[in-house]
């Protein structure tokens, strides 16, 4: 019996859920990395601001270098015949993350009080690099599966929304567990050195938080590997594309090599927009904790509750993304998200005496806006790849390269111009971190708007025949 090319490839709901679970471990670790690493190194371990920035920069550069290399190798190597090439790289990355991450949120084991900071940076660096390699391998292999599992634009948006929904759940998990740990610490600890301010007494709290997250993430990674089926040789899809119908033979689409993407204008448009998106999402997540504790002078439990509000609002927003984006389009949906982010930036900059009540409303705006622009930018990337799934990992890797390097440079620049370099905060830091939150959201949103309009005028497409 003859077969024709299917108009669409779709997944049942349970397969979508299993796929989305595959990035849960990465999301848990990323949430801790961006939200808590800087404040942990600076306020808990006592690193100077520039030293803490260097640590985060090392991680971002390692991730940025590893991401395109992993993408290239993931496209080129066949992987395990039984497991599939994307899932093989995913498994390798998961193992690296599980083995390295516990050492990051734990003090230097062989160090003493007299150990130099540079020696501690040297100690942490191998664990950070291994973690970032594993994170990149897991991220790129997971993203590369989207255009291989589904084909239509709406299905890609939906699968990306499922993926982001799990990202939101992962962040909610981190902040909920962190809040519980802070709560239990306040209820049961009679040590007078433990106060509402972060300090060395919070080391066991962050260590416990990281171990709990790794245990939960490992379980979800197992669900992904058991429940997600990847074509192990590509033969199934090739057969569908090459099998002639009753009237004519259907030829496969032209095959791109990695260098062909570098000649495509849409490649650079999407890459720049994705970089702006990640700058907004990651830098706001990185500095929200110090903004809450140093600028607004709120108790340390707010570094759990406010990010929690952000991601709950993002989760609610993600539920409406597919139907709304089908009506107004991906680009206009992205614009809506940018407007929400700009409203947050203006609110933070204008309201100099923002209280505990107002910050919740601002967090809702930032959470909903960040969720929208992140999902839409990933959907644009999947649209760019289209049927060229054989080197989709290279495309995702290239997008992430710009993101990781820009984030690392952004952090080290901010840390280097911080008014005071020690763990204590001077009065100038109050306004400094408020300006940082406004700049990394509203300031980056402006070039993102310009790039978005260029995409609206010149829609995403592959021009090379």
């Amino acid at each position: 019996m003859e077969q024709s090319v299917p108009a669409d490839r779709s997944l049942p709901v349970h397969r979508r859920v299993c796929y989305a679970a595959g990035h849960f471990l990465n999301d848990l670790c990323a949430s801790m990395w961006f939200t808590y690493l800087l404040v942990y190194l600076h306020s808990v371990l006592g690193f100077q601001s520039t030293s803490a920035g260097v640590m985060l920069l090392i991680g971002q550069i390692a991730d940025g270098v590893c991401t395109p290399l992993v993408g290239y190798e993931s496209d080129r190597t066949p992987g395990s015949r039984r497991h599939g090439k994307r899932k093989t790289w995913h498994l390798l990355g998961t193992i690296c993350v599980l083995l390295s991450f516990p050492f990051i949120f734990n003090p230097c084991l062989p160090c003493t009080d007299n150990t130099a900071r540079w020696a501690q940076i040297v100690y942490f660096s191998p664990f950070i690099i291994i973690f970032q390699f594993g994170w990149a391998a897991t991220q790129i292999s997971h993203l590369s599966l989207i255009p291989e599992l589904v084909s239509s634009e709406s299905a890609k948006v939906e699968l990306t929304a499922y993926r982001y929904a799990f990202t939101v759940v992962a962040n909610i998990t981190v902040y909920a567990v962190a809040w519980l740990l802070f709560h239990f610490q306040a209820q049961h600890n009679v040590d007078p050195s433990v106060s509402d301010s972060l300090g060395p007494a919070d080391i066991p709290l962050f260590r416990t938080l990281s171990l709990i997250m790794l245990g939960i993430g490992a379980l979800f990674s197992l669900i992904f590997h058991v429940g997600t089926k990847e074509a192990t040789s590509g033969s199934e899809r090739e057969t569908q594309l090459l099998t002639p119908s009753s009237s004519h033979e259907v030829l496969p689409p032209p095959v791109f090599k990695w260098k062909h993407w570098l000649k495509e204008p849409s490649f650079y448009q999407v890459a720049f927009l994705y970089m702006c998106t990640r700058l907004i999402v990651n830098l706001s997540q990185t500095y929200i904790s110090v903004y809450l504790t140093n600028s607004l002078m709120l108790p340390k439990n707010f570094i759990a509750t406010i990010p929690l509000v952000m991601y709950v609002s993002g989760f609610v927003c993600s539920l409406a993304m597919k139907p709304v984006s089908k009506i107004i389009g991906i680009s206009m949906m992205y614009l809506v998200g940018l407007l929400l982010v700009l409203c947050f930036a203006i609110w933070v900059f204008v309201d100099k005496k923002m209280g505990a009540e107002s910050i919740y409303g601002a967090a809702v705006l930032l959470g909903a806006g960040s969720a929208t622009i992140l999902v839409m930018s990933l959907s644009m990337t999947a649209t760019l790849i289209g049927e060229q799934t054989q080197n989709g990992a290279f495309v995702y890797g290239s997008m992430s390269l710009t993101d990781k390097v820009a984030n690392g440079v952004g952090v080290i620049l901010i840390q280097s111009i911080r008014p005071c370099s020690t763990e204590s905060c001077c009065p100038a830091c109050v306004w400094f971190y408020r300006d940082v939150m406004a700049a990394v959201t509203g300031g980056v949103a402006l070039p993102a708007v310009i790039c978005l309009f260029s995409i609206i005028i010149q829609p995403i497409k592959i021009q090379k025949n």
Side-chain angles (χ1 to χ4, degrees):
M1 181 178 179
E2 295 179 335
Q3 281 185 309
S4 60
V5 181
D8 184 24
R9 300 188 308 277
S10 60
L11 293 176
V13 174
H14 71 281
R15 294 291 185 189
R16 295 177 220 162
V17 172
C18 289
Y19 165 78
H23 207 251
F24 202 74
L25 173 62
N26 260 21
D27 291 327
L28 293 171
C29 294
S31 179
M32 288 199 63
W33 173 269
F34 285 111
T35 308
Y36 294 138
L37 181 66
L38 208 58
V39 72
Y40 173 75
L41 293 173
H42 191 64
S43 299
V44 178
L45 297 188
F47 278 61
Q48 292 185 344
S49 60
T50 51
S51 298
V54 166
M55 295 273 285
L56 201 145
L57 177 63
I58 290 172
Q60 293 304 106
I61 291 178
D63 194 1
V65 171
C66 290
T67 298
L69 294 178
V70 168
Y72 175 76
E73 289 297 324
S74 176
D75 290 330
R76 190 175 66 88
T77 56
S80 171
R81 184 169 297 180
R82 294 181 59 185
H83 210 55
K85 66 178 181 178
R86 307 301 187 194
K87 289 176 64 179
T88 299
W89 278 94
H90 187 285
L91 180 61
L92 174 62
T94 299
I95 293 172
C96 290
V97 169
L98 291 174
L99 293 178
S100 59
F101 194 72
F103 294 93
I104 297 175
F105 279 91
N106 204 45
C108 175
L109 297 179
C111 297
T112 65
D113 293 338
N114 298 323
T115 303
R117 288 300 182 198
W118 67 265
Q120 295 188 45
I121 293 175
V122 171
Y123 167 82
F124 282 112
S125 294
F127 298 114
I128 290 176
I129 293 171
I130 294 172
F131 162 67
Q132 293 293 0
F133 166 79
W135 203 96
T138 304
Q139 180 203 32
I140 297 305
S141 57
H142 193 254
L143 283 171
S144 301
L145 281 171
I146 292 178
E148 295 187 7
L149 295 175
V150 294
S151 58
S152 71
E153 184 173 299
S154 63
K156 291 173 184 176
V157 172
E158 183 176 33
L159 199 57
T160 305
Y162 267 83
R163 186 179 183 273
Y164 185 76
F166 269 76
T167 299
V168 172
V169 173
N171 282 273
I172 290 174
T173 302
V174 171
Y175 303 134
V177 174
W179 180 85
L180 288 173
L181 291 175
F182 280 124
H183 178 73
F184 290 147
Q185 181 193 67
Q187 292 294 321
H188 299 96
N189 203 315
V190 294
D191 187 349
S193 64
V194 179
S195 64
D196 282 339
S197 300
L198 290 169
D202 295 303
I203 289 174
L205 187 147
F206 284 98
R207 178 172 57 233
T208 302
L209 180 61
S210 66
L211 293 176
I212 292 174
M213 293 306 106
L214 289 176
I216 297 173
L219 176 61
F220 276 80
S221 294
L222 179 63
I223 293 173
F224 164 77
H225 281 276
V226 172
T228 302
K229 179 177 175 56
E230 177 187 356
T232 55
S233 63
S235 57
E236 178 181 347
R237 185 158 177 256
E238 290 171 3
T239 302
Q240 291 176 339
L241 290 169
L242 293 172
T243 301
S245 65
S246 56
S247 58
H248 62 279
E249 183 178 1
V250 180
L251 297 176
V255 177
F256 262 31
K257 295 182 179 179
W258 66 269
K259 59 185 178 181
H260 293 150
W261 287 107
L262 303 180
K263 302 177 182 178
E264 293 295 326
S266 290
F267 176 83
Y268 296 99
Q269 287 177 301
V270 175
F272 184 80
L273 192 67
Y274 184 77
M275 180 190 71
C276 292
T277 301
R278 280 296 185 179
L279 279 172
I280 293 171
V281 174
N282 293 344
L283 289 183
S284 63
Q285 188 177 4
T286 299
Y287 284 97
I288 188 67
S289 295
V290 287
Y291 169 66
L292 294 171
T293 55
N294 292 346
S295 293
L296 302 184
M297 306 298 181
L298 296 173
K300 63 184 179 182
N301 64 297
F302 272 78
I303 69 173
T305 55
I306 294 303
L308 181 62
V309 170
M310 288 170 51
Y311 279 93
V312 169
S313 65
F315 176 74
V316 174
C317 185
S318 68
L319 299 177
M321 285 184 194
K322 182 185 177 182
V324 176
S325 65
K326 289 182 71 174
I327 297 173
I328 66 175
I330 294 177
S331 296
M332 294 307 297
M333 191 70 188
Y334 187 96
L335 181 60
V336 171
L338 278 181
L339 292 176
L340 293 175
V341 171
L342 282 170
C343 288
F344 166 83
I346 294 171
W347 191 348
V348 166
F349 188 76
V350 172
D351 192 353
K352 297 182 179 180
K353 297 182 179 180
M354 184 178 292
E357 297 79 12
S358 299
I359 189 60
Y360 284 105
V364 170
L365 289 178
L366 181 59
S370 297
T372 302
I373 61 176
L374 183 57
V375 172
M376 292 302 107
S377 64
L378 289 172
S379 299
M380 290 179 188
T381 308
T383 299
L384 174 67
I385 294 172
E387 293 297 323
Q388 304 297 337
T389 59
Q390 68 282 344
N391 47 33
F394 171 78
V395 177
Y396 281 114
S398 301
M399 303 295 164
S400 293
L401 171 62
T402 60
D403 142 42
K404 302 304 188 304
V405 174
N407 275 282
V409 172
V411 167
I412 198 65
L413 287 176
I414 293 171
Q415 292 300 106
S416 64
I417 63 175
R418 183 176 183 266
C420 48
S421 60
T422 61
E423 62 269 19
S424 60
C425 187
C426 66
C429 290
V430 174
W431 303 115
F432 175 74
Y433 286 119
R434 184 208 64 172
D435 294 341
V436 166
M437 285 301 298
V440 300
T441 51
V444 180
L446 295 178
V449 169
I450 297 174
C451 182
L452 179 66
F453 282 135
S454 74
I455 292 177
I456 295 174
I457 297 171
Q458 181 67 44
I460 299 171
K461 65 179 180 179
I462 297 176
Q463 297 181 357
K464 181 178 176 63
N465 294 321

